[in-house]
Amino acid sequence: MSLRQSPENRFLTASPGKIFAATAFPMIAIMLMNGMLGIIDAVFLGHFVGAAAMAAVGMAFPVLMLTIALSTLVSGGMSSLLARQLGADDRNAANATFAGAHGLALTTASALIVIFCAGGWAFALHIAGTDGPVAEMLWIFLAITIFGTPVQFLLGIHADAWRNEGQAGLMALMSLGVTLINILLNYILVVVLELGVAGSAKGTVLAQTLGLVLLAGLRPFLGGMMPLNRLWRNSWTSSWRRIVALGAPVSLGFIGMALSAASVVLALRLAGATDYATTIAAYGIVTRIFGFAFLPIMAIAMAMQSIVGNNVGARLYSRSDAVLRIAAATTLLYCLAVEVLLLGQGTVVGAAFVADPDVIGEVGRLLRPMAAVYLFSGPVLVLGLYFQAIGQPARAALLTMVKPLILLPILVTIAAAMLGADAIWFAFPLADGVAAIIATLILAAALKARGNSGIGLKAVENLS
């Protein structure tokens, strides 16, 4: 493998602060626009369809997180390999990784469709209980979403490839246009045509299709991009094991979010919440709020991942360390601001989604404990994606999985069994605190063992 540094790779030459800002700000814009779509869509459903639609979408959240997790499994694992290969200017390996990711994405999406066809309706009935109309809305929403996963997964691959190739700014402009079209489509389908949750899901799939066409179609016209014709010259089963190993930590973290959400819904049912429908509707809104707040954190972590991966691939460790510090400090300040806002203005935020005063009040009640220790969330995720970027999936897995996959489901279950439904919300700050302690211990060990290389790196062997 050649270690020649490409003169076109700004990740290796611009100052760490400048390249971080140039990469992170477009990524934040992309994420916020996508998140704004989710918020506006929820407003459409809440005000023009009703609380039942919000309840159905809230019940669908675990499955939506599962699709995001599987998409991230492929695109995130590909990114870790791709960034280091591009940093080392090994274009042949990068093209092979890009092709292999396409095959893995389509195979995974196909399996998901088959599973849904076999058990989708039974799942909807189980989650919705005796509420037939909500179960029907849930099934329709999930059916459209699941059948659109091939587009969703391929879009994730192409978006991450653009990011690692240094085209985050142009991608942000395209994302802005696609998101505005998505909002317009959802308005027409949900409000004008009154298609309800089906209109919401259809609008999203149509917009994702447009985004994929743009990202793939413009690739041949931009310099420094991997050519599309190399997809047909490389095996579509290439590097699957390595992509899965490197993508698993963040992917399992998203699966953990789905498991956590499912555990909350189940705990509320089994613990006999006094007003199950109201609480579920409020929880659906809260998941939207935290999902939107999470997007800039993920954008910063992804920008950091691309820059760190390129620099570690080129063995420029002082630069990769500097970008990690910048990203961690940025997310800490951001999460602190979000925490202050949600603790002080939770009901005001809830009123933007629905007019029902009971649901609004419930949103404020849930946000107070859930946001109590939110400030640690960002730095923990950044550190997890740093270890993924340098090719250490075990440390990355511990940081990204421990809270959603282990701590939250266990703590929610214990709280519901011992203290009742109202106590489960205090599992969230406790999980945040324990995750922060674990992250501190891992970082301390990485700093102690670093030697003269980057944080967490002992050797300078083949890093691709």
Side-chain angles (χ1 to χ4, degrees):
M1 181 188 69
S2 168
L3 286 175
R4 176 173 56 87
Q5 297 174 9
S6 170
E8 299 178 353
N9 194 337
R10 294 189 304 121
F11 288 142
L12 311 181
T13 56
S15 69
K18 183 177 180 180
I19 193 61
F20 174 79
T23 306
F25 287 156
M27 290 301 303
I28 291 173
I30 293 170
M31 290 289 192
L32 286 178
M33 286 305 301
N34 290 335
M36 187 61 66
L37 167 65
I39 296 293
I40 293 174
D41 188 39
V43 172
F44 289 161
L45 291 174
H47 285 280
F48 295 99
V49 184
M54 290 301 301
V57 173
M59 292 173 187
F61 182 74
V63 178
L64 296 181
M65 292 306 303
L66 177 62
T67 65
I68 293 173
L70 293 175
S71 176
T72 305
L73 175 71
V74 182
S75 63
M78 178 201 71
S79 290
S80 179
L81 283 172
L82 199 61
R84 282 174 283 145
Q85 289 163 347
L86 293 173
D89 202 24
D90 191 348
R91 289 278 171 167
N92 290 332
N95 287 323
T97 298
F98 191 45
H102 279 72
L104 182 58
L106 292 177
T107 301
T108 305
S110 299
L112 194 59
I113 291 171
V114 171
I115 293 171
F116 179 78
C117 289
W121 178 242
F123 172 82
L125 287 176
H126 178 73
I127 295 296
T130 58
D131 197 331
V134 172
E136 184 177 355
M137 284 191 287
L138 173 60
W139 184 84
I140 292 172
F141 183 83
L142 289 178
I144 297 170
T145 300
I146 295 298
F147 277 91
T149 51
V151 173
Q152 177 189 351
F153 289 8
L154 291 179
L155 179 61
I157 288 174
H158 281 263
D160 275 12
W162 274 55
R163 168 169 56 89
N164 286 294
E165 290 165 302
Q167 298 290 346
L170 183 56
M171 188 170 62
L173 291 176
M174 284 193 296
S175 178
L176 172 61
V178 170
T179 302
L180 292 176
I181 291 172
N182 198 346
I183 292 172
L184 177 61
L185 284 172
N186 283 14
Y187 176 80
I188 293 172
L189 295 172
V190 175
V191 180
V192 178
L193 299 181
E194 299 182 350
L195 296 181
V197 295
S200 172
K202 288 179 180 178
T204 298
V205 173
L206 289 173
Q208 288 174 342
T209 302
L210 174 60
L212 177 59
V213 169
L214 286 174
L215 289 180
L218 289 177
R219 177 170 288 276
F221 303 100
L222 299 174
M225 306 287 281
M226 292 177 293
L228 281 177
N229 59 16
R230 295 298 177 89
L231 290 176
W232 321 117
R233 300 178 185 178
N234 288 278
S235 171
W236 281 37
T237 59
S238 173
S239 303
W240 281 18
R241 182 177 298 178
R242 299 168 75 193
I243 290 173
V244 169
L246 291 166
V250 178
S251 175
L252 289 172
F254 280 116
I255 290 177
M257 293 180 189
L259 178 61
S260 298
S263 69
V264 168
V265 173
L266 184 61
L268 289 172
R269 285 192 62 193
L270 297 181
T274 54
D275 196 339
Y276 177 71
T278 298
T279 303
I280 285 293
Y283 181 60
I285 293 172
V286 168
T287 59
R288 295 266 183 160
I289 294 170
F290 277 115
F292 183 74
F294 174 76
L295 295 176
I297 304 172
M298 192 66 185
I300 292 169
M302 292 169 66
M304 179 273 306
Q305 179 197 53
S306 293
I307 304 169
V308 165
N310 272 267
N311 281 278
V312 168
R315 299 182 180 179
L316 300 175
Y317 302 118
S318 62
R319 292 174 56 82
S320 59
D321 288 354
V323 172
L324 171 61
R325 290 193 294 268
I326 294 170
T330 303
T331 54
L332 178 64
L333 293 175
Y334 167 78
C335 288
L336 178 60
V338 170
E339 179 177 327
V340 171
L341 172 65
L342 295 182
L343 290 178
Q345 303 295 327
T347 54
V348 175
V349 175
F353 292 87
V354 291
D356 189 327
D358 292 333
V359 176
I360 293 172
E362 191 72 354
V363 169
R365 185 180 75 86
L366 301 189
L367 282 175
R368 283 188 288 273
M370 293 176 71
V373 198
Y374 188 74
L375 76 163
F376 297 127
S377 300
V380 172
L381 179 66
V382 163
L383 191 60
L385 262 68
Y386 170 81
F387 286 116
Q388 185 201 43
I390 65 176
Q392 296 187 8
R395 281 175 166 170
L398 185 57
L399 289 165
T400 56
M401 290 166 49
V402 66
K403 174 188 169 182
L405 196 63
I406 301 173
L407 292 175
L408 271 177
I410 291 175
L411 291 173
V412 165
T413 302
I414 293 174
M418 298 182 63
L419 302 173
D422 289 340
I424 66 177
W425 315 111
F426 293 93
F428 289 82
L430 183 57
D432 280 327
V434 174
I437 293 172
I438 293 172
T440 301
L441 295 175
I442 291 176
L443 179 59
L447 290 170
K448 184 177 180 180
R450 66 181 294 186
N452 60 356
S453 59
I455 295 173
L457 292 168
K458 293 183 180 179
V460 290
E461 300 159 355
N462 186 341
L463 295 169
S464 65

